[in-house]
Amino acid sequence: MQPLDRFSGHANLYAQYRIDYPADLYDFVLSFATDRQTAWDCATGNGQVAGALADFFAQVEATDISETQLILAIKKPNVTYQISTAEQSPFADNTFDLITVAQALHWFDVAAFHQEVRRVAKPGAVIAEWGYGLVQLGADLDPIMLDFYRNRIGPYWDPQRAYIDDAYATLPFPFADPQRAEFTARRTWSLERFLNYLRTWSAVRQYIHENEEDPIIGLGEELAPTWGDDEREVNFPVFLRVGRV
């Protein structure tokens, strides 16, 4: 199966405007990873997670199918980037103490990826998979946002988006000692910053491609009277599952 690449075409936007993840998420994952020699961040995108893990692991390997994203990725001396699918990596057996995948598992052949995890993980290694759902703006703006998400661009999401909506509850996780946790990524953004984040959504890019117009312009006009000129708190609900190989 040919892997889906929904992000190379707007890698610059992605690098500038996608969110990173809260410190308490990393603290939770690292509480399981007592051995910290090598980590693999799969589908690393612009290297947000790889860069964070580099502060805790001697060596971080980070892979993605998008060469464009990797060119723009965060550079650290102990992070090595290379092009690879999730399901067939270039790594030797029993290499990693921790394997992570953030906001990307739903694009994979999940069974094949988990088989690869078992091959490259050290015995007892930690596997952590997470993602984040629809942004929360507050009771005054959430109805507008939900209507945009479901109705305006809803038909332009890939079917895999449903796995995000159910927080990976229907995707298999065949690992020992499974645990789930929830976090919130809190940001304070201007409306312009928020709208540029929305332009990284794969469904928005597909809408623009098919209709030759930017749906974010109209949404911004709807949000502006309430949002105003000030920055506003923007919350992203993050879900995580972790286990041992």
Side-chain angles (χ1 to χ4, degrees):
M1 182 176 66
Q2 184 70 21
L4 287 169
D5 180 359
R6 289 288 187 260
F7 304 101
S8 288
H10 58 288
N12 278 309
L13 274 175
Y14 196 95
Q16 286 181 267
Y17 296 115
R18 288 296 260 203
I19 69 163
D20 53 7
Y21 300 101
D24 53 350
L25 180 149
Y26 290 108
D27 290 343
F28 184 80
V29 171
L30 291 169
S31 71
F32 297 91
T34 53
D35 295 324
R36 300 183 184 178
Q37 290 301 307
T38 54
W40 173 26
D41 183 40
C42 182
T44 194
N46 64 342
Q48 292 168 331
V49 174
L53 294 178
D55 294 338
F56 302 96
F57 284 80
Q59 178 63 33
V60 178
E61 300 290 338
T63 60
D64 202 277
I65 61 171
S66 169
E67 181 179 11
T68 309
Q69 290 247 67
L70 295 181
I71 289 170
L72 297 172
I74 296 164
K75 305 300 189 292
K76 289 193 175 182
N78 61 331
V79 178
T80 300
Y81 294 102
Q82 54 187 310
I83 297 172
S84 172
T85 65
E87 299 84 1
Q88 291 184 305
S89 75
F91 307 119
D93 295 358
N94 304 321
T95 295
F96 296 107
D97 301 297
L98 171 68
I99 297 170
T100 59
V101 54
Q103 196 69 358
L105 182 72
H106 51 291
W107 298 113
F108 300 172
D109 178 333
V110 175
F113 170 64
H114 285 161
Q115 183 177 355
E116 184 70 350
V117 166
R118 292 188 181 282
R119 184 184 71 80
V120 302
K122 295 177 183 176
V126 177
I127 170 72
E129 302 171 343
W130 68 86
Y132 59 92
L134 180 62
V135 60
Q136 299 169 348
L137 302 177
D140 51 350
L141 292 180
D142 281 345
I144 297 173
M145 197 65 232
L146 185 62
D147 179 69
F148 178 81
Y149 176 75
R150 288 181 174 172
N151 300 320
R152 185 70 185 277
I153 63 164
Y156 299 89
W157 287 111
D158 289 282
Q160 292 91 332
R161 181 70 190 184
Y163 295 122
I164 290 288
D165 290 337
D166 71 10
Y168 291 170
T170 58
L171 290 178
F173 192 67
F175 299 103
D177 303 321
Q179 296 192 41
R180 294 186 67 96
E182 297 179 352
F183 306 89
T184 302
R186 294 181 173 86
R187 302 293 177 265
T188 304
W189 285 351
S190 67
L191 178 58
E192 180 183 11
R193 172 69 177 79
F194 176 67
L195 296 177
N196 279 323
Y197 155 73
L198 295 181
R199 289 186 173 100
T200 71
W201 283 6
S202 59
V204 170
R205 307 315 301 180
Q206 188 62 26
Y207 183 104
I208 292 171
H209 173 72
E210 293 189 24
N211 297 283
E212 298 184 351
E213 67 174 26
D214 182 357
I216 300 303
I217 294 172
L219 176 64
E221 292 171 351
E222 286 189 77
L223 296 176
T226 302
W227 194 300
D229 296 328
D230 295 332
E231 293 186 332
R232 182 184 181 99
E233 184 172 283
V234 175
N235 292 322
F236 296 87
V238 182
F239 57 88
L240 175 143
R241 57 189 194 176
V242 62
R244 292 198 180 276
V245 181

